[in-house]
Structures are given as structure tokens and as C-alpha cells.
Amino acid sequence: MTDEHLSATHFSGLDLPAPVRQGLEDAGFSHCTPIQALALPHALTGKDVAGQAQTGTGKTAAFLITVLTHLIRHPAPTDRRPNQVRALILAPTRELAIQIHKDALVLGAHTGLTLGLAYGGTDYDKQRKQLADGVDILIGTPGRIIDYFKQKVFDLRQTQVLVLDEADRMFDLGFIKDVRFLLRRMTPATERQSMLFSATLSWRVMELAYEHMNSPVKVQTQDEQVTAERVRQVIYYPGNEEKIPLLLGIMKRSNPDRSMVFVNTKHMAEKVTAWLQGNGIPTALLSGDVPQRKRQRLLAQFETSVFQVLVATDVAARGLHIPDVSHVFNFDLPQSGEDYVHRIGRTGRAGAEGDAVSFACEDSAFYLPEIESYIGFKIASEAVDPQLLLEHVQPPAKIERKRGGSGDRSKGRPPADGDKPRRRRRRKPTGKN
């Protein structure tokens, strides 16, 4: 069955409890996306599912609908203690965990099920108290959850449902040992329902699935290419000195309501932000060392169009779900095909169209062959027409820089994720008895 036929599947044709139907209606969902149409018929019967689909295709709703339905139809055992979670949803980044929780609040509003959220960087004691009081569904990042688990704030011996979201990113960010630690301390795979969703079901991901799931059904949308078909991709070959005028020129002409500009280093992020602000474009900067509260504030302002552009490194942008991003600009080409797919997946989400514009400059053009090999086709190229370059470029604005800090990285686990187990500081003697 083609993805077009799958998209015609209506939620009304699925066997769902009334509270879940009401949540779908509140969210404005009527028809399934292809991955939902493939996964839900299996998942709603209690089968384990390993699903593959591109980013922004409705995977979150697929597993939330399943989790809510399962918990409603399989009441908690009478001997369950309040601090024993019934469902665990693991995400690789705090932004994704926050987004899943936000979606769960809408879809689960009429179910009576309680939600908990645990991620690093902020609200340590608040999150801890919430879990100690007891929640049905725990959503969060592995490190912070393990921290509370080791303190016996909650336990996993009554877990009825497990979800691993973006499993491929779990590997990329080095979370797999943490994930396995948790999976080995919950109910056996034969006594719970498990779901795994990923943009790519590589052999590493499927090994994880077969090790910790119960004969999972593998479902995969029929995407002919790794990147979203509705994203128009183009690449320019500017000289280094042409990159800023070219970026400004394209932005001035296309005037996108909401766009993201990706760079490879924090230093370049600051530089690009300064040029955009200096030329009258409201811009925010998101790098790996931005504190969590400020990150959330910037993202909220970006979603409400306080800022027109968000400049980000890969470290800062992993797991972001921002609606209505019309343009993605790769000011620097990423070092891998996976990062390229992740970046341009910020636009063209949930069936919408989008534009991905990349610059293959003197410093990053040699990454292009690997990117094109990964996505399976050559990206259309266009000449750098002098008319595209902004003619009168204004000086960059002054960007306040924080002294110190550990900088940013283009690879590896985010240094600011804050989800490592918290170390207790010793109090210094006061000299008082």
C-alpha cells in the first residue's frame, strides 16, 4: 500500500477508547500519517513495534495513542505503589522530551492519567518531587531518569509500556549504555508492550529491538529517499567572502517567516548572528552552552515570531520540533549525511513544504560527496548570480560574548544537556557549632 493510500486512513476507523478519541479531536487530528497507519493496527492489539519514518511524520502521536490506549485498557495492578511508573518514554534530548510531554498533555487530557517529565539542566528538585508523588507516564532523557532511579525516587517493576524515540540519535549521543541500564531493571519484555521509533532502522537499532523487545513487528514508510520529498533542496558554491552577502540576499528576497541557519561552530554562529542582526533581521543564537531556561525562552520566542531566524549548531538543534519552519540554510555544510538529513528535517514537517539551501564553500565543499552518497542523489546546484548577493551589506551588530565556558562541538554528546547524574556538593564548614 502506498503512502498516499495510508494517509487516507481515518482515526475513526481504529479501535480507540473514547478519552483518546476526544484528545485526537482536541488536537485537530482526523487522518493518520503513513507511519501511524502502519504502526497503530499492530500496536493497538498489544504487539511490539519497531517503526521507521522520516522526522516530522507523526511518530510521536503514534506511540502516545498506543500508550494511552494500553494503560486505559489494562488497569494498574492493585498492589502498585504510587511511585511505580506504568509507562516509560525515553528521548535523546531535553527538547524532544519537552515536546513529547506537550503533545501528551493534549492527547491525554481526558484520560485521567498523570504525566511526569525528567530532563537535565533545570528544575531538579521540582522534577524529583513530581516523580516521588507518583506518575503514570514518565517522559524524559536517560541520564536524569537514571539519577532519580538510583535514588529510589521511583521504580520500574510495574512498567506496562516502554517507548524508545529516535533510537538512532540515542546511539549518536552515547546513551545506549544508559538505555540498557533502564531496560534491564523493568518488567521483562514478554510482560510489557514495547515500541521503538527511529528515522533509520540500522542493524544497531534492530539489535537493540531484538534484545529488549518481544518479536517486534517492523514497519517502514515507503520513502524513496532519505530526505523529505516536499523539501526543495538546492546548493550554491560561494567563495568564503560571498557567503554573508549571499545569505542576506536570499533572505531579503524570499523573506521567510521562520527559518533556521545551521553552522558548524559556536564562533561562526556568533558571527552569522551578528551580521543578520546588523542588517535588520531579528535573530536568536542557540549554541550548546546556552542555559536551559534561556533555551526554552528563545525557542518560545522563535515559535511566536519574536525572532525571524534561529542560528544554531548541530549540538544545540538535536531533537528540536519547531512548527512552520519554511527555510533551512546550511551556511556550513555538515560533516555527515546523517547531520544533513537531521538539519533539513526541521522544515517540511507533517506533510508541509519547505526549502533547504546549502552553501558548499571552500571550507566545507569536500563534505558534499558523502552527503549525496547518504541521501542517494545529487543535490540540484545553482550559480551564485551577482544579483543574488545583497549589494549594501551593513556592519555586523555587537554580540555580547560570555567569557569562559567550554565552547561547542559539532560532534558527540551535548555538553549542556545537563542529564548526567547530579553530584552533591559538600557544604563548607561554617565554624559554628
Side-chain angles (χ1 to χ4, degrees):
M1 187 178 293
T2 65
D3 286 356
E4 288 75 12
H5 288 95
L6 290 170
S7 297
T9 304
H10 202 287
F11 283 114
S12 62
L14 299 175
D15 182 20
L16 299 172
V20 178
R21 290 191 184 281
Q22 186 61 53
L24 287 166
E25 186 176 327
D26 293 347
F29 296 159
S30 59
H31 290 78
C32 296
T33 64
I35 189 61
Q36 292 165 0
L38 286 170
L40 286 172
H42 299 289
L44 291 175
T45 63
K47 294 179 181 178
D48 287 5
V49 171
Q52 174 178 331
Q54 296 164 356
T55 182
T57 54
K59 290 176 287 187
T60 301
F63 64 70
L64 286 177
I65 291 168
T66 303
V67 170
L68 297 170
T69 298
H70 189 98
L71 297 187
I72 290 172
R73 291 181 172 163
H74 300 82
T78 55
D79 62 346
R80 170 183 173 261
R81 298 195 304 273
N83 73 331
Q84 292 182 313
V85 301
R86 299 179 61 195
L88 178 64
I89 301 175
L90 294 175
T93 66
R94 53 197 172 194
E95 285 79 16
L96 182 55
I98 291 169
Q99 183 61 46
I100 293 170
H101 182 263
K102 182 179 177 181
D103 293 343
L105 287 173
V106 177
L107 293 174
H110 305 279
T111 64
L113 297 169
T114 56
L115 303 174
L117 181 60
Y119 59 90
T122 186
D123 295 335
Y124 188 89
D125 293 327
K126 179 181 176 181
Q127 293 177 12
R128 191 183 191 282
K129 182 180 184 305
Q130 184 184 47
L131 298 189
D133 291 343
V135 298
D136 293 302
I137 302 171
L138 173 55
I139 302 164
T141 54
R144 175 61 65 91
I145 288 177
I146 287 176
D147 189 350
Y148 294 139
F149 178 83
K150 288 182 175 179
Q151 296 179 49
K152 302 187 186 305
V153 177
F154 69 95
D155 77 44
L156 298 167
R157 286 174 289 184
Q158 295 282 8
T159 309
Q160 296 170 257
V161 191
L162 163 72
V163 177
L164 299 178
D165 193 21
E166 294 204 11
D168 53 342
R169 306 305 293 179
M170 296 276 196
F171 277 103
D172 291 345
L173 300 180
F175 281 128
I176 291 304
K177 286 186 178 180
D178 291 346
V179 169
R180 286 197 166 103
F181 174 90
L182 292 169
L183 300 189
R184 288 167 180 157
R185 285 157 178 81
M186 62 175 59
T187 49
T190 54
E191 297 177 18
R192 66 168 190 263
Q193 182 177 16
S194 303
M195 288 170 286
L196 178 152
F197 287 88
S198 182
T200 56
L201 289 179
S202 64
W203 67 267
R204 294 190 305 170
V205 173
M206 289 310 298
E207 180 185 35
L208 185 70
Y210 290 127
E211 181 183 356
H212 295 283
M213 298 173 74
N214 184 28
S215 301
V217 177
K218 182 179 177 181
V219 296
Q220 180 177 346
T221 54
Q222 296 179 352
D223 303 312
E224 294 183 359
Q225 56 191 56
V226 178
T227 54
E229 293 182 3
R230 293 178 178 268
V231 178
R232 293 175 291 269
Q233 301 172 59
V234 65
I235 192 161
Y236 293 92
Y237 294 87
N240 285 347
E241 73 284 354
E242 294 177 314
K243 290 176 71 176
I244 290 295
L246 180 59
L247 177 64
L248 290 168
I250 294 174
M251 282 191 169
K252 293 288 186 180
R253 284 168 175 78
S254 58
N255 193 30
D257 292 330
R258 190 173 300 155
S259 62
M260 296 185 69
V261 178
F262 284 98
V263 294
N264 290 345
T265 65
K266 177 188 172 185
H267 171 73
M268 186 58 69
E270 292 175 341
K271 179 179 178 181
V272 171
T273 299
W275 280 106
L276 292 174
Q277 290 180 351
N279 284 269
I281 299 176
T283 305
L285 185 157
L286 198 64
S287 59
D289 59 354
V290 174
Q292 178 62 21
R293 292 186 185 277
K294 184 176 181 181
R295 288 166 68 93
Q296 291 180 237
R297 185 175 71 251
L298 290 175
L299 291 172
Q301 291 174 330
F302 184 52
E303 288 191 32
T304 56
S305 299
V306 174
F307 300 110
Q308 186 178 348
V309 180
L310 185 67
V311 177
T313 60
D314 287 308
V315 163
R318 285 191 175 104
L320 293 185
H321 173 76
I322 302 170
D324 303 324
V325 173
S326 62
H327 288 68
V328 166
F329 294 90
N330 286 309
F331 188 83
D332 298 326
L333 275 182
Q335 298 177 22
S336 72
E338 290 184 1
D339 286 337
Y340 176 83
V341 171
H342 173 73
R343 288 181 180 187
I344 73 169
R346 301 310 98 196
T347 187
R349 300 179 71 85
E353 294 186 348
D355 289 277
V357 181
S358 300
F359 296 168
C361 66
E362 302 159 32
D363 298 326
S364 63
F366 51 87
Y367 299 137
L368 186 59
E370 180 184 339
I371 292 171
E372 292 182 332
S373 174
Y374 183 82
I375 64 177
F377 62 91
K378 289 187 67 65
I379 303 171
S381 62
E382 291 190 13
V384 180
D385 190 323
Q387 293 185 353
L388 284 176
L389 307 179
L390 186 66
E391 188 174 355
H392 302 292
V393 177
Q394 300 302 311
K398 290 185 177 181
I399 300 293
E400 184 178 345
R401 291 178 173 84
K402 291 176 62 177
R403 296 187 180 275
S406 58
D408 207 343
R409 303 178 182 90
S410 61
K411 291 284 181 184
R413 187 170 177 171
D417 218 12
D419 58 0
K420 282 287 188 183
R422 187 181 184 184
R423 293 181 179 177
R424 300 283 184 179
R425 292 183 179 179
R426 288 186 176 182
R427 291 184 179 181
K428 294 182 180 179
T430 60
K432 297 180 182 180
N433 294 327

Short mmCIF file of all heavy atoms in Angstrom, two decimals, residues 179-230:
data_model
loop_
_atom_site.label_atom_id
_atom_site.label_comp_id
_atom_site.label_asym_id
_atom_site.label_seq_id
_atom_site.Cartn_x
_atom_site.Cartn_y
_atom_site.Cartn_z
N VAL A 179 20.40 3.49 28.34
CA VAL A 179 19.12 2.89 27.94
C VAL A 179 19.08 1.43 28.39
O VAL A 179 18.09 0.97 28.99
CB VAL A 179 18.92 2.99 26.42
CG1 VAL A 179 17.73 2.15 25.98
CG2 VAL A 179 18.71 4.45 26.02
N ARG A 180 20.14 0.69 28.13
CA ARG A 180 20.18 -0.72 28.52
C ARG A 180 20.11 -0.88 30.04
O ARG A 180 19.52 -1.84 30.55
CB ARG A 180 21.43 -1.39 27.96
CG ARG A 180 21.36 -1.64 26.45
CD ARG A 180 22.42 -2.66 26.02
NE ARG A 180 22.16 -3.14 24.66
CZ ARG A 180 22.81 -2.75 23.58
NH1 ARG A 180 23.77 -1.84 23.69
NH2 ARG A 180 22.52 -3.23 22.39
N PHE A 181 20.72 0.04 30.77
CA PHE A 181 20.65 0.01 32.23
C PHE A 181 19.20 0.03 32.69
O PHE A 181 18.79 -0.73 33.57
CB PHE A 181 21.41 1.21 32.81
CG PHE A 181 21.28 1.36 34.30
CD1 PHE A 181 22.19 0.74 35.16
CD2 PHE A 181 20.26 2.12 34.86
CE1 PHE A 181 22.08 0.87 36.54
CE2 PHE A 181 20.13 2.27 36.24
CZ PHE A 181 21.05 1.63 37.07
N LEU A 182 18.40 0.91 32.09
CA LEU A 182 16.99 1.03 32.48
C LEU A 182 16.18 -0.18 32.02
O LEU A 182 15.34 -0.70 32.76
CB LEU A 182 16.40 2.31 31.90
CG LEU A 182 16.94 3.62 32.50
CD1 LEU A 182 16.49 4.82 31.67
CD2 LEU A 182 16.48 3.77 33.95
N LEU A 183 16.42 -0.64 30.79
CA LEU A 183 15.63 -1.75 30.26
C LEU A 183 15.83 -3.03 31.07
O LEU A 183 14.91 -3.85 31.19
CB LEU A 183 15.98 -2.00 28.79
CG LEU A 183 15.74 -0.84 27.82
CD1 LEU A 183 15.94 -1.31 26.39
CD2 LEU A 183 14.36 -0.25 27.99
N ARG A 184 17.02 -3.21 31.61
CA ARG A 184 17.30 -4.42 32.39
C ARG A 184 16.72 -4.37 33.80
O ARG A 184 16.81 -5.35 34.53
CB ARG A 184 18.81 -4.65 32.44
CG ARG A 184 19.37 -5.12 31.10
CD ARG A 184 20.88 -5.05 31.06
NE ARG A 184 21.39 -5.51 29.76
CZ ARG A 184 22.57 -5.17 29.26
NH1 ARG A 184 23.36 -4.36 29.94
NH2 ARG A 184 22.95 -5.61 28.07
N ARG A 185 16.14 -3.23 34.17
CA ARG A 185 15.59 -3.08 35.51
C ARG A 185 14.07 -2.89 35.51
O ARG A 185 13.49 -2.53 36.53
CB ARG A 185 16.29 -1.92 36.22
CG ARG A 185 17.70 -2.31 36.67
CD ARG A 185 18.61 -1.13 36.85
NE ARG A 185 19.94 -1.59 37.32
CZ ARG A 185 20.89 -2.07 36.51
NH1 ARG A 185 20.67 -2.18 35.22
NH2 ARG A 185 22.05 -2.46 37.02
N MET A 186 13.45 -3.14 34.37
CA MET A 186 12.00 -3.08 34.31
C MET A 186 11.42 -4.46 34.06
O MET A 186 12.15 -5.45 34.03
CB MET A 186 11.54 -2.08 33.23
CG MET A 186 11.95 -2.42 31.82
SD MET A 186 11.25 -1.25 30.61
CE MET A 186 11.92 0.30 31.20
N THR A 187 10.12 -4.52 33.92
CA THR A 187 9.46 -5.80 33.68
C THR A 187 10.05 -6.47 32.44
O THR A 187 10.49 -5.79 31.51
CB THR A 187 7.96 -5.58 33.48
OG1 THR A 187 7.78 -4.52 32.52
CG2 THR A 187 7.27 -5.21 34.77
N PRO A 188 10.05 -7.79 32.37
CA PRO A 188 10.59 -8.49 31.20
C PRO A 188 9.85 -8.10 29.92
O PRO A 188 8.69 -7.67 29.96
CB PRO A 188 10.37 -9.98 31.53
CG PRO A 188 10.23 -10.03 33.01
CD PRO A 188 9.59 -8.74 33.42
N ALA A 189 10.53 -8.27 28.80
CA ALA A 189 9.95 -7.88 27.50
C ALA A 189 8.64 -8.61 27.22
O ALA A 189 7.75 -8.06 26.57
CB ALA A 189 10.96 -8.17 26.39
N THR A 190 8.50 -9.83 27.74
CA THR A 190 7.28 -10.61 27.49
C THR A 190 6.09 -10.12 28.33
O THR A 190 4.96 -10.51 28.07
CB THR A 190 7.52 -12.10 27.80
OG1 THR A 190 8.05 -12.22 29.13
CG2 THR A 190 8.51 -12.69 26.81
N GLU A 191 6.36 -9.25 29.31
CA GLU A 191 5.30 -8.79 30.20
C GLU A 191 4.95 -7.32 30.00
O GLU A 191 4.19 -6.74 30.77
CB GLU A 191 5.72 -9.02 31.65
CG GLU A 191 5.92 -10.48 32.00
CD GLU A 191 6.40 -10.69 33.42
OE1 GLU A 191 6.26 -9.74 34.24
OE2 GLU A 191 6.92 -11.78 33.73
N ARG A 192 5.52 -6.71 28.97
CA ARG A 192 5.21 -5.31 28.69
C ARG A 192 5.09 -5.14 27.18
O ARG A 192 5.53 -5.99 26.41
CB ARG A 192 6.31 -4.39 29.23
CG ARG A 192 7.64 -4.57 28.51
CD ARG A 192 8.66 -3.48 28.83
NE ARG A 192 9.80 -3.58 27.95
CZ ARG A 192 10.95 -4.18 28.25
NH1 ARG A 192 11.11 -4.75 29.43
NH2 ARG A 192 11.94 -4.22 27.37
N GLN A 193 4.48 -4.04 26.76
CA GLN A 193 4.47 -3.68 25.34
C GLN A 193 5.59 -2.69 25.09
O GLN A 193 5.77 -1.74 25.86
CB GLN A 193 3.13 -3.06 24.93
CG GLN A 193 3.08 -2.73 23.44
CD GLN A 193 1.74 -2.19 22.99
OE1 GLN A 193 0.93 -1.78 23.81
NE2 GLN A 193 1.51 -2.18 21.69
N SER A 194 6.35 -2.89 24.03
CA SER A 194 7.49 -2.03 23.73
C SER A 194 7.38 -1.50 22.31
O SER A 194 6.98 -2.22 21.40
CB SER A 194 8.81 -2.79 23.90
OG SER A 194 8.94 -3.31 25.20
N MET A 195 7.76 -0.24 22.15
CA MET A 195 7.78 0.39 20.82
C MET A 195 9.09 1.14 20.64
O MET A 195 9.59 1.77 21.57
CB MET A 195 6.60 1.35 20.68
CG MET A 195 5.26 0.68 20.54
SD MET A 195 3.90 1.87 20.66
CE MET A 195 3.92 2.20 22.42
N LEU A 196 9.62 1.06 19.46
CA LEU A 196 10.85 1.75 19.11
C LEU A 196 10.62 2.47 17.80
O LEU A 196 10.15 1.88 16.83
CB LEU A 196 11.99 0.74 19.00
CG LEU A 196 13.38 1.22 18.60
CD1 LEU A 196 14.45 0.28 19.20
CD2 LEU A 196 13.56 1.26 17.08
N PHE A 197 10.94 3.77 17.78
CA PHE A 197 10.79 4.55 16.55
C PHE A 197 12.11 5.23 16.23
O PHE A 197 12.83 5.68 17.13
CB PHE A 197 9.67 5.58 16.70
CG PHE A 197 8.31 4.97 16.68
CD1 PHE A 197 7.72 4.52 17.85
CD2 PHE A 197 7.60 4.83 15.49
CE1 PHE A 197 6.47 3.94 17.84
CE2 PHE A 197 6.35 4.25 15.47
CZ PHE A 197 5.78 3.80 16.66
N SER A 198 12.42 5.30 14.94
CA SER A 198 13.70 5.83 14.53
C SER A 198 13.63 6.30 13.08
O SER A 198 12.83 5.79 12.29
CB SER A 198 14.77 4.73 14.66
OG SER A 198 16.05 5.20 14.31
N ALA A 199 14.44 7.29 12.76
CA ALA A 199 14.49 7.74 11.37
C ALA A 199 15.17 6.71 10.49
O ALA A 199 14.92 6.63 9.29
CB ALA A 199 15.22 9.08 11.27
N THR A 200 16.06 5.91 11.10
CA THR A 200 16.73 4.82 10.37
C THR A 200 16.74 3.58 11.26
O THR A 200 17.13 3.64 12.42
CB THR A 200 18.18 5.19 10.01
OG1 THR A 200 18.90 5.55 11.21
CG2 THR A 200 18.22 6.37 9.05
N LEU A 201 16.29 2.44 10.71
CA LEU A 201 16.35 1.19 11.45
C LEU A 201 17.61 0.44 11.02
O LEU A 201 17.56 -0.55 10.30
CB LEU A 201 15.09 0.34 11.18
CG LEU A 201 13.80 0.86 11.81
CD1 LEU A 201 12.63 -0.05 11.46
CD2 LEU A 201 13.94 0.96 13.33
N SER A 202 18.75 0.94 11.48
CA SER A 202 20.03 0.32 11.16
C SER A 202 20.17 -0.99 11.91
O SER A 202 19.36 -1.33 12.77
CB SER A 202 21.17 1.27 11.55
OG SER A 202 21.17 1.46 12.96
N TRP A 203 21.22 -1.74 11.61
CA TRP A 203 21.44 -3.01 12.30
C TRP A 203 21.66 -2.78 13.78
O TRP A 203 21.30 -3.61 14.62
CB TRP A 203 22.62 -3.76 11.68
CG TRP A 203 23.96 -3.13 11.87
CD1 TRP A 203 24.60 -2.27 11.05
CD2 TRP A 203 24.84 -3.33 12.99
NE1 TRP A 203 25.82 -1.89 11.57
CE2 TRP A 203 25.99 -2.53 12.76
CE3 TRP A 203 24.77 -4.08 14.17
CZ2 TRP A 203 27.05 -2.46 13.66
CZ3 TRP A 203 25.84 -4.01 15.07
CH2 TRP A 203 26.96 -3.22 14.80
N ARG A 204 22.25 -1.64 14.15
CA ARG A 204 22.47 -1.34 15.58
C ARG A 204 21.13 -1.15 16.29
O ARG A 204 20.92 -1.64 17.40
CB ARG A 204 23.31 -0.08 15.73
CG ARG A 204 24.73 -0.18 15.24
CD ARG A 204 25.54 1.02 15.64
NE ARG A 204 24.93 2.29 15.22
CZ ARG A 204 25.34 3.49 15.60
NH1 ARG A 204 26.34 3.59 16.46
NH2 ARG A 204 24.76 4.57 15.14
N VAL A 205 20.21 -0.41 15.63
CA VAL A 205 18.90 -0.17 16.22
C VAL A 205 18.12 -1.46 16.33
O VAL A 205 17.49 -1.75 17.35
CB VAL A 205 18.14 0.88 15.39
CG1 VAL A 205 16.70 1.02 15.90
CG2 VAL A 205 18.84 2.24 15.45
N MET A 206 18.13 -2.27 15.27
CA MET A 206 17.37 -3.51 15.30
C MET A 206 17.97 -4.51 16.30
O MET A 206 17.24 -5.32 16.88
CB MET A 206 17.32 -4.13 13.91
CG MET A 206 16.44 -3.36 12.93
SD MET A 206 14.78 -2.98 13.58
CE MET A 206 14.12 -4.64 13.85
N GLU A 207 19.27 -4.46 16.52
CA GLU A 207 19.88 -5.30 17.54
C GLU A 207 19.30 -4.94 18.91
O GLU A 207 18.98 -5.81 19.72
CB GLU A 207 21.40 -5.11 17.54
CG GLU A 207 22.12 -5.96 18.59
CD GLU A 207 23.62 -5.67 18.64
OE1 GLU A 207 24.00 -4.50 18.43
OE2 GLU A 207 24.37 -6.60 18.91
N LEU A 208 19.16 -3.65 19.16
CA LEU A 208 18.55 -3.19 20.40
C LEU A 208 17.10 -3.65 20.49
O LEU A 208 16.63 -4.07 21.55
CB LEU A 208 18.62 -1.66 20.46
CG LEU A 208 18.12 -0.99 21.75
CD1 LEU A 208 19.09 -1.27 22.90
CD2 LEU A 208 17.97 0.51 21.55
N ALA A 209 16.40 -3.60 19.37
CA ALA A 209 14.99 -4.01 19.35
C ALA A 209 14.85 -5.49 19.67
O ALA A 209 14.02 -5.89 20.51
CB ALA A 209 14.39 -3.71 17.98
N TYR A 210 15.64 -6.34 19.03
CA TYR A 210 15.50 -7.78 19.24
C TYR A 210 16.00 -8.21 20.62
O TYR A 210 15.55 -9.23 21.16
CB TYR A 210 16.24 -8.54 18.15
CG TYR A 210 15.57 -8.43 16.80
CD1 TYR A 210 16.27 -8.02 15.67
CD2 TYR A 210 14.21 -8.71 16.66
CE1 TYR A 210 15.64 -7.90 14.44
CE2 TYR A 210 13.57 -8.60 15.43
CZ TYR A 210 14.29 -8.20 14.32
OH TYR A 210 13.66 -8.08 13.11
N GLU A 211 16.90 -7.43 21.21
CA GLU A 211 17.43 -7.77 22.53
C GLU A 211 16.43 -7.46 23.63
O GLU A 211 16.33 -8.18 24.62
CB GLU A 211 18.74 -7.01 22.78
CG GLU A 211 19.39 -7.32 24.13
CD GLU A 211 20.65 -6.50 24.37
OE1 GLU A 211 21.07 -5.76 23.46
OE2 GLU A 211 21.21 -6.60 25.47
N HIS A 212 15.67 -6.35 23.48
CA HIS A 212 14.84 -5.87 24.57
C HIS A 212 13.35 -5.77 24.22
O HIS A 212 12.59 -5.14 24.95
CB HIS A 212 15.33 -4.49 25.04
CG HIS A 212 16.70 -4.53 25.65
ND1 HIS A 212 16.94 -5.00 26.93
CD2 HIS A 212 17.92 -4.18 25.14
CE1 HIS A 212 18.23 -4.92 27.20
NE2 HIS A 212 18.84 -4.43 26.13
N MET A 213 12.94 -6.37 23.11
CA MET A 213 11.53 -6.35 22.72
C MET A 213 11.05 -7.78 22.48
O MET A 213 11.85 -8.72 22.42
CB MET A 213 11.33 -5.47 21.48
CG MET A 213 11.71 -4.01 21.70
SD MET A 213 11.66 -2.99 20.19
CE MET A 213 9.89 -2.81 19.98
N ASN A 214 9.76 -7.96 22.34
CA ASN A 214 9.16 -9.27 22.19
C ASN A 214 8.69 -9.46 20.74
O ASN A 214 7.59 -9.08 20.38
CB ASN A 214 7.98 -9.42 23.16
CG ASN A 214 7.38 -10.81 23.12
OD1 ASN A 214 8.06 -11.78 22.82
ND2 ASN A 214 6.09 -10.89 23.41
N SER A 215 9.57 -10.01 19.90
CA SER A 215 9.27 -10.26 18.48
C SER A 215 8.59 -9.05 17.82
O SER A 215 7.44 -9.13 17.37
CB SER A 215 8.38 -11.49 18.34
OG SER A 215 9.00 -12.62 18.89
N PRO A 216 9.28 -7.91 17.76
CA PRO A 216 8.64 -6.69 17.24
C PRO A 216 8.26 -6.78 15.76
O PRO A 216 8.97 -7.40 14.97
CB PRO A 216 9.70 -5.61 17.45
CG PRO A 216 11.00 -6.36 17.45
CD PRO A 216 10.69 -7.68 18.09
N VAL A 217 7.12 -6.19 15.43
CA VAL A 217 6.71 -6.04 14.03
C VAL A 217 7.44 -4.82 13.47
O VAL A 217 7.36 -3.72 14.04
CB VAL A 217 5.19 -5.84 13.92
CG1 VAL A 217 4.79 -5.62 12.46
CG2 VAL A 217 4.46 -7.03 14.52
N LYS A 218 8.14 -4.99 12.37
CA LYS A 218 8.86 -3.89 11.75
C LYS A 218 7.98 -3.21 10.70
O LYS A 218 7.46 -3.87 9.80
CB LYS A 218 10.15 -4.39 11.09
CG LYS A 218 10.99 -3.29 10.46
CD LYS A 218 12.27 -3.87 9.86
CE LYS A 218 13.10 -2.79 9.15
NZ LYS A 218 14.33 -3.35 8.55
N VAL A 219 7.79 -1.90 10.85
CA VAL A 219 7.00 -1.15 9.87
C VAL A 219 7.85 0.01 9.36
O VAL A 219 8.64 0.59 10.10
CB VAL A 219 5.68 -0.61 10.48
CG1 VAL A 219 4.78 -1.76 10.89
CG2 VAL A 219 5.94 0.30 11.67
N GLN A 220 7.67 0.32 8.09
CA GLN A 220 8.50 1.34 7.45
C GLN A 220 7.73 2.00 6.33
O GLN A 220 7.11 1.32 5.51
CB GLN A 220 9.78 0.70 6.90
CG GLN A 220 10.73 1.66 6.21
CD GLN A 220 12.00 0.96 5.76
OE1 GLN A 220 12.29 -0.17 6.19
NE2 GLN A 220 12.77 1.62 4.91
N THR A 221 7.73 3.33 6.31
CA THR A 221 7.05 4.04 5.23
C THR A 221 7.85 3.88 3.95
O THR A 221 9.07 3.67 3.97
CB THR A 221 6.90 5.53 5.56
OG1 THR A 221 8.19 6.08 5.89
CG2 THR A 221 5.96 5.73 6.74
N GLN A 222 7.17 3.99 2.82
CA GLN A 222 7.79 3.74 1.52
C GLN A 222 8.42 5.00 0.95
O GLN A 222 8.09 5.46 -0.13
CB GLN A 222 6.76 3.18 0.55
CG GLN A 222 6.21 1.82 0.96
CD GLN A 222 5.17 1.30 0.00
OE1 GLN A 222 4.73 2.01 -0.91
NE2 GLN A 222 4.75 0.06 0.20
N ASP A 223 9.34 5.57 1.70
CA ASP A 223 10.03 6.77 1.23
C ASP A 223 11.08 6.38 0.20
O ASP A 223 11.91 5.51 0.45
CB ASP A 223 10.71 7.50 2.39
CG ASP A 223 9.71 7.88 3.48
OD1 ASP A 223 8.66 8.43 3.13
OD2 ASP A 223 10.01 7.61 4.65
N GLU A 224 11.05 7.02 -0.93
CA GLU A 224 12.03 6.71 -1.97
C GLU A 224 13.37 7.36 -1.69
O GLU A 224 14.38 7.01 -2.27
CB GLU A 224 11.49 7.16 -3.34
CG GLU A 224 10.26 6.37 -3.78
CD GLU A 224 9.81 6.79 -5.16
OE1 GLU A 224 10.45 7.69 -5.74
OE2 GLU A 224 8.82 6.24 -5.67
N GLN A 225 13.40 8.34 -0.81
CA GLN A 225 14.64 8.99 -0.47
C GLN A 225 14.65 9.27 1.03
O GLN A 225 13.62 9.32 1.67
CB GLN A 225 14.81 10.30 -1.26
CG GLN A 225 13.67 11.29 -1.07
CD GLN A 225 13.75 12.43 -2.06
OE1 GLN A 225 13.78 12.23 -3.25
NE2 GLN A 225 13.80 13.64 -1.55
N VAL A 226 15.87 9.42 1.56
CA VAL A 226 16.02 9.60 3.00
C VAL A 226 15.44 10.94 3.44
O VAL A 226 14.85 11.04 4.50
CB VAL A 226 17.52 9.50 3.39
CG1 VAL A 226 17.70 9.75 4.87
CG2 VAL A 226 18.06 8.14 3.00
N THR A 227 15.61 11.97 2.63
CA THR A 227 15.09 13.29 2.98
C THR A 227 13.65 13.44 2.52
O THR A 227 13.20 12.76 1.61
CB THR A 227 15.95 14.39 2.31
OG1 THR A 227 16.00 14.13 0.90
CG2 THR A 227 17.36 14.38 2.86
N ALA A 228 12.92 14.33 3.17
CA ALA A 228 11.51 14.52 2.86
C ALA A 228 11.33 14.99 1.42
O ALA A 228 12.04 15.88 0.94
CB ALA A 228 10.90 15.54 3.82
N GLU A 229 10.37 14.39 0.72
CA GLU A 229 10.17 14.70 -0.70
C GLU A 229 9.67 16.12 -0.91
O GLU A 229 9.88 16.72 -1.96
CB GLU A 229 9.18 13.71 -1.30
CG GLU A 229 9.71 12.28 -1.38
CD GLU A 229 8.72 11.35 -2.04
OE1 GLU A 229 7.65 11.82 -2.47
OE2 GLU A 229 9.01 10.15 -2.12
N ARG A 230 8.98 16.67 0.10
CA ARG A 230 8.41 18.01 -0.06
C ARG A 230 9.41 19.13 0.23
O ARG A 230 9.06 20.30 0.18
CB ARG A 230 7.18 18.17 0.85
CG ARG A 230 6.00 17.28 0.43
CD ARG A 230 4.84 17.44 1.39
NE ARG A 230 3.69 16.64 0.98
CZ ARG A 230 2.71 17.07 0.20
NH1 ARG A 230 2.75 18.31 -0.26
NH2 ARG A 230 1.72 16.29 -0.12
#
